[in-house]
Amino acid sequence: VDEDGGDALAPVGAVDGLGGADRRQIAVPLIVQHYGLRAGPLQSGSHRGTASVGRFGEVYVYVVVGEDRTAAGSNADGLLLDAHLFDYFGHQAVDDGVAASGAMVEGLSLAAMTETPIVIALAQRPGPATGLPTRTEQGDLLFALHAGHGEFPRIILAPGDIEEMYKLTAEAFDFADIYQTPVIVLSDKHLSESIWSTPKMVLKLFARIYEPRRGKAVRNAEGQYLRYKISEDGISPILQPGKDGHFYQINSYEHLEDGHTTEDHQQRVAQVDKRNRKEKTYLMSHFKKPQLYGVENADIVLVAWGSLKGTLLDCLSVLKEKGINAGLMHFTHIFPLDESVGEMFADNKRYILVENNSYGQFGRILKEQVGVEIRGKFLKYDGRQIFAEEVADFVEHIVKRSE
């Protein structure tokens, strides 16, 4: 909550009589409907967010009030450093990227340098600037990929429906803990603010069996503790702050293994290489290939990511009625991509990229990461969501033109 975005935690749903949120009175909706992007973090014992990415169940939370949006973005980094805020080790910080992510990139690169577990929920809307604040778009993918200063590993996830949002958000916190690097969960206005129906039992079963994975988090260390110890997988032990007898330095500078600042060229290369090895470890251990729907027997394959899943599954049914055999390749693990994804594209099929932006942003990532270029594109960027019928008409036109 901040002065400029005072209504970021404004009451919604069943919360009555709390008034607007500002620097003197903070209204937090706690007992209302339970949405995926907000419920997922609760599975991991985490906090922070805005109304545009969901609502809380009944929980205990810390509300950190920043003087501006840049400070709000840095608070997520500061939470891990302020050990007195933690009853026990394992609370991660979650920040929201809605409407303010442009002012938060310094905090993003700071988290990368300090190797602080952080999850950012970015619900996209049409830009640039304020753009169309009440409409939807998939326009921030390249921003999520390149935001921050310098080079550092990051993980980008994009759920396709409420069930995936619930599970992937919890998984995002696991990844943040395991890899000690920023993890970005990409949604958009269409997915985050629509009303969806999903079986409660599916979410309850997931909550029942879910166990947070803390990676190399340790409660005690023997001998000298090296916060940034060089390792084969790129991941160093992370010790609960404030342990007696163990001291280490955390700041925005390049550092030695014990955290002390350095400008030595060999130490710089060693730490950069260490951080970069996290990407290879992630690809080997946790990356998931896209889900395929009807692709094996399809002549035409739609390629999409994030919130387009439901729309394009409906589109397959519409195309079937038109006598067109089509399939869907849907990505949720957006970045980094394993080069084996390129092997999933067959020479005997026609691929059509479907995105809710004007650049074909995911198409650019596919070309850069796995060497696949999709020439056929359906791109919509008028602020409205994509409808199954318009994609079906586009595909039908292509088919007829090629006959």
Side-chain angles (χ1 to χ4, degrees):
V1 182
D2 57 63
E3 276 185 321
D4 297 326
D7 62 347
L9 288 170
V12 289
V15 179
D16 298 319
L18 293 180
D22 55 38
R23 293 185 65 84
R24 295 173 299 282
Q25 178 184 13
I26 300 175
V28 184
L30 294 180
I31 309 174
V32 287
Q33 290 176 310
H34 129 146
Y35 278 40
L37 261 177
R38 186 73 47 95
L42 298 182
Q43 288 301 122
S44 301
S46 304
H47 42 259
R48 260 197 110 247
T50 68
S52 60
V53 294
R55 299 154 190 184
F56 273 124
E58 186 173 3
V59 294
Y60 295 98
V61 297
Y62 295 109
V63 177
V64 180
V65 181
E67 64 269 23
D68 54 40
R69 287 178 174 174
T70 302
S74 299
N75 279 336
D77 296 303
L79 286 175
L80 187 63
L81 308 182
D82 294 337
H84 65 276
L85 287 180
F86 294 84
D87 295 325
Y88 61 92
F89 188 63
H91 284 64
Q92 310 107 309
V94 56
D95 197 7
D96 68 273
V98 181
S101 50
M104 297 177 178
V105 293
E106 290 186 2
L108 183 66
S109 56
L110 175 62
M113 177 59 84
T114 61
E115 302 191 39
T116 300
I118 180 174
V119 175
I120 297 175
L122 174 53
Q124 304 160 96
R125 71 184 191 195
T130 304
L132 302 177
T134 63
R135 300 295 179 177
T136 194
E137 194 169 273
Q138 292 181 312
D140 289 341
L141 176 53
L142 293 180
F143 170 75
L145 176 58
H146 296 295
H149 310 93
E151 300 171 324
F152 56 88
R154 71 191 74 197
I155 298 169
I156 302 176
L157 308 173
D161 54 36
I162 290 297
E163 184 178 336
E164 285 182 357
M165 184 180 285
Y166 187 88
K167 295 178 179 179
L168 274 182
T169 304
E171 193 173 51
F173 284 90
D174 289 340
F175 292 165
D177 266 339
I178 293 169
Y179 296 102
Q180 301 169 28
T181 201
V183 180
I184 301 172
V185 182
L186 275 179
S187 181
D188 52 39
K189 280 284 205 177
H190 174 53
L191 181 57
S192 293
E193 297 195 354
S194 296
I195 296 176
W196 298 72
S197 176
T198 193
K200 281 187 176 181
M201 185 54 64
V202 173
L203 305 183
K204 287 182 178 180
L205 287 174
F206 174 78
R208 189 175 302 167
I209 65 174
Y210 173 77
E211 291 290 339
R213 293 168 287 173
R214 302 302 188 191
K216 292 187 178 181
V218 294
R219 291 182 179 273
N220 295 289
E222 296 181 1
Q224 182 186 11
Y225 171 62
L226 299 177
R227 173 63 188 94
Y228 303 107
K229 184 178 180 179
I230 302 297
S231 62
E232 290 186 7
D233 60 7
I235 306 167
S236 307
I238 181 169
L239 177 68
Q240 178 179 358
K243 282 294 182 180
D244 291 341
H246 296 289
F247 304 93
Y248 55 96
Q249 189 178 57
I250 295 179
N251 59 36
S252 62
Y253 285 82
E254 190 56 271
H255 40 252
L256 303 172
E257 287 184 290
D258 64 3
H260 281 95
T261 298
T262 184
E263 291 195 3
D264 179 86
H265 67 284
Q266 293 179 329
Q267 294 295 331
R268 162 66 176 178
V269 171
Q271 287 295 327
V272 170
D273 289 346
K274 182 194 88 73
R275 290 191 291 267
N276 288 344
R277 284 196 291 273
K278 296 177 183 181
E279 182 172 304
K280 182 178 179 181
T281 304
Y282 163 77
L283 290 174
M284 293 175 57
S285 305
H286 293 108
F287 172 74
K288 293 180 182 177
K289 293 182 179 181
Q291 288 289 316
L292 303 179
Y293 302 89
V295 168
E296 184 176 353
N297 299 315
D299 301 314
I300 292 178
V301 179
L302 306 177
V303 180
W305 59 280
S307 63
L308 295 179
K309 177 183 176 180
T311 297
L312 296 184
L313 286 176
D314 287 343
C315 180
L316 299 186
S317 299
V318 176
L319 287 171
K320 187 175 181 180
E321 293 176 358
K322 295 175 178 286
I324 300 174
N325 191 16
L328 171 64
M329 180 184 292
H330 179 261
F331 288 80
T332 55
H333 290 56
I334 306 300
F335 184 87
L337 293 176
D338 189 76
E339 59 186 21
S340 63
V341 169
E343 300 170 1
M344 302 177 69
F345 289 81
D347 293 334
N348 62 343
K349 299 182 186 296
R350 172 175 285 181
Y351 294 89
I352 298 176
L353 181 71
V354 183
E355 294 196 55
N356 214 172
N357 58 56
S358 68
Y359 277 16
Q361 295 185 23
F362 184 64
R364 295 187 179 191
I365 293 176
L366 275 175
K367 184 177 180 181
E368 176 186 319
Q369 291 265 296
V370 301
V372 172
E373 182 176 9
I374 303 177
R375 297 189 179 278
K377 298 180 178 67
F378 178 91
L379 306 176
K380 184 176 179 180
Y381 42 94
D382 61 359
R384 276 67 179 172
Q385 67 268 32
I386 292 175
F387 295 99
E389 293 77 11
E390 57 190 354
V391 178
D393 290 343
F394 178 81
V395 173
E396 184 181 28
H397 175 72
I398 289 179
V399 171
K400 289 181 178 180
R401 192 175 59 185
S402 62
E403 290 177 349

